[in-house]
Amino acid sequence: MPKLFSRSLAEEIRKRAHQFPILAVTGPRQSGKTTLLKSLFPDHVYVSLENPDIRSFAEDDPNGFLQRYPGQAILDEVQRVPALFSYLQTAVDESGQMGQYILSGSQNFHLLKNITQTLAGRVALFRLLPLDHDEMEQAGILPGTYAEACIQGGYPAIFHRGISPADFYENYIRTYIEKDVTELVNIRDTQSFRTFLGLCAGRTGQLLNLNAMANECNISQPTAKAWLSILQSSYLVFLLYPYHENFNKRLVKTPKLYFYDTGLVSYLLEIREKSEILTNRLKGNIFENLVVSNFMKINEHRYLHRHYYFWQDHNGLEVDLLRKTADAFEAYEIKATQTLTSDLFKGLHHFAEIAKPATVHLHLVYGSQESLTRSNTDVQGWNACFP
């Protein structure tokens, strides 16, 4: 990757290269994994298992394959050769060398399945997602408005190769569906899957209702569940689960659906101009997705291991993002408006009241770039680099 971008995860990976024999970096296609690893480990031999000849060699003769790379190697798309993992275990146990093999892959399900089965305790796991706001700010490419940020998204190629978001995301979807999806599951009607992907975009920031999505897409509920799992394992979407501590209220127990990248959401919703974001009926949902996904990216890129939730009761009062610490809650309300009114703080204050005697630190993230304090609440602009 050009020097324009400094990835926060780089330092975390570098630290643990001296503590684990194997490092594994997953994340969506085009998030910059290969470029990052090559820059971090210039002395490692780079081997792509996307190459049919190399993959065939690794499948037919795993021992011979690893003997060809006995020192240090980056094995890209390693999930394509599941049999290799057992041999990797033997190789690192015998050598005792730290940072010997760097594994990379864009299919989380297959990669993690093989790691947990054969490499537990020997590997440090990382996720490299599209650029977070802090990384974009450091590189001088963070857009001036949230509407522009929602459309551009955070995939590095859009910025350093000067590709328009529309061109990038159309080709990204085509490649993803034609390559990854067809490999993960036998989908004959790829148009139905693309329709399902679009339905997910239309429900971003909302409670997950698989039955409704299945009916609208004319597929079975089990198929919808399987397809959603594919989107999760490919790092396109994630689920945010509700916080379940009983505050003597009937609580919603269904997760919310979000995308890791709002540029993809906007493209799927056929939003091409930033002015269209401001008038779209899903503006609030897209803005919420922008903020929540940025928390998730920073959590992964800084290797914080934090757990986030949302809270909502059956009266509709909610907290959009919630984190429980040892002695308090961090509660976030997320609103696209640039005008502060007392109604915006209602859910936060309600939660703080029913959570007593626990301490609740209140935060409001809104569509402006100005940060201030109001009603005992930390008010932050959408572009703030959250802890």
Side-chain angles (χ1 to χ4, degrees):
M1 185 179 297
K3 293 181 180 179
L4 175 68
F5 303 122
S6 176
R7 303 307 302 261
S8 302
L9 192 59
E11 184 58 29
E12 303 304 325
I13 294 173
R14 190 180 289 111
K15 288 178 185 176
R16 288 154 186 88
H18 306 290
Q19 300 170 335
F20 293 85
I22 299 176
L23 307 178
V25 181
T26 63
R29 288 190 176 276
Q30 297 293 312
S31 63
K33 298 183 299 298
T34 299
T35 307
L36 174 63
L37 293 178
K38 284 183 175 180
S39 67
L40 280 175
F41 304 101
D43 295 331
H44 281 55
V45 178
Y46 175 77
V47 185
S48 175
L49 291 162
E50 291 272 33
N51 184 305
D53 294 333
I54 294 176
R55 184 165 67 248
S56 178
F57 178 27
E59 290 171 338
D60 296 341
D61 185 7
N63 273 323
F65 174 79
L66 291 180
Q67 285 172 11
R68 177 175 288 186
Y69 309 106
Q72 298 174 316
I74 299 170
L75 305 181
D76 204 357
E77 298 299 341
V78 68
Q79 77 279 350
R80 294 187 174 278
V81 188
L84 197 58
F85 285 81
S86 294
Y87 295 89
L88 282 169
Q89 174 188 337
T90 302
V92 298
D93 286 351
E94 290 179 350
S95 73
Q97 183 180 354
M98 297 298 105
Q100 183 174 2
Y101 290 107
I102 315 298
L103 312 183
S104 177
S106 56
Q107 292 177 6
N108 183 42
F109 175 76
H110 290 306
L111 185 59
L112 289 188
K113 179 181 177 182
N114 286 295
I115 284 174
T116 55
Q117 287 178 347
T118 59
L119 298 177
R122 300 170 177 85
V123 60
L125 289 166
F126 305 89
R127 292 177 185 169
L128 185 69
L129 301 170
L131 295 162
D132 62 53
H133 291 169
D134 186 29
E135 292 171 327
M136 296 172 77
E137 178 71 28
Q138 294 298 320
I141 58 172
L142 184 65
T145 66
Y146 80 79
E148 189 178 356
C150 287
I151 290 178
Q152 285 192 337
Y155 281 94
I158 290 175
F159 300 95
H160 72 66
R161 281 161 43 196
I163 305 174
S164 74
D167 287 348
F168 176 83
Y169 288 109
E170 176 57 32
N171 285 286
Y172 190 91
I173 292 169
R174 285 183 181 177
T175 303
Y176 166 69
I177 291 177
E178 292 172 4
K179 188 174 182 63
D180 290 349
V181 173
T182 53
E183 289 180 357
L184 285 166
V185 67
N186 183 22
I187 297 179
R188 297 179 180 177
D189 185 2
T190 55
Q191 184 56 47
S192 292
F193 187 85
R194 180 158 181 164
T195 300
F196 179 78
L197 183 58
L199 289 175
C200 288
R203 287 161 175 76
T204 188
Q206 300 177 30
L207 296 175
L208 179 65
N209 187 336
L210 274 177
N211 286 327
M213 294 172 68
N215 290 335
E216 195 166 343
C217 202
N218 198 27
I219 57 177
S220 68
Q221 197 270 355
T223 298
K225 185 176 181 180
W227 287 5
L228 180 66
S229 179
I230 292 169
L231 295 178
Q232 289 177 270
S233 68
S234 305
Y235 294 103
L236 293 194
V237 307
F238 64 93
L239 298 180
L240 185 69
Y241 286 88
Y243 187 79
H244 278 316
E245 185 170 336
N246 186 1
F247 294 118
N248 298 318
K249 292 283 184 178
R250 293 179 63 219
L251 302 178
V252 170
K253 296 183 179 181
T254 305
K256 281 186 174 183
L257 176 67
Y258 293 96
F259 279 68
Y260 280 110
D261 188 80
T262 55
L264 180 57
V265 174
S266 299
Y267 183 79
L268 290 168
L269 294 176
E270 299 187 0
I271 298 172
R272 302 291 183 265
E273 302 294 334
K274 60 183 180 181
S275 59
E276 297 172 11
I277 289 278
L278 302 177
T279 57
N280 193 283
R281 66 180 182 84
L282 293 175
K283 175 182 72 172
N285 300 83
I286 300 170
F287 179 79
E288 184 178 319
N289 195 143
L290 177 74
V291 175
V292 172
S293 63
N294 190 51
F295 270 89
M296 300 304 160
K297 291 174 185 176
I298 289 177
N299 189 42
E300 295 293 344
H301 294 164
R302 297 183 187 175
Y303 221 51
L304 299 176
H305 308 302
R306 291 175 176 173
H307 299 286
Y308 290 98
Y309 308 89
F310 74 94
W311 178 87
Q312 185 181 104
D313 68 15
H314 279 269
N315 294 320
L317 289 170
E318 67 176 334
V319 171
D320 293 320
L321 199 64
L322 189 68
R323 183 169 74 90
K324 180 75 165 65
T325 65
D327 56 359
F329 288 97
E330 300 290 336
Y332 295 84
E333 181 71 10
I334 302 168
K335 296 296 183 184
T337 181
Q338 297 185 43
T339 304
L340 296 178
T341 64
S342 58
D343 285 346
L344 299 180
F345 303 91
K346 185 176 180 181
L348 289 173
H349 291 162
H350 176 70
F351 180 80
E353 187 65 30
I354 66 170
K356 287 181 177 177
T359 299
V360 182
H361 300 136
L362 306 179
H363 309 269
L364 173 70
V365 184
Y366 74 132
S368 175
Q369 293 185 329
E370 183 181 5
S371 295
L372 56 142
T373 300
R374 186 78 59 87
S375 301
N376 299 319
T377 303
D378 178 28
V379 180
Q380 297 172 290
W382 68 271
N383 60 331
C385 297
F386 305 103

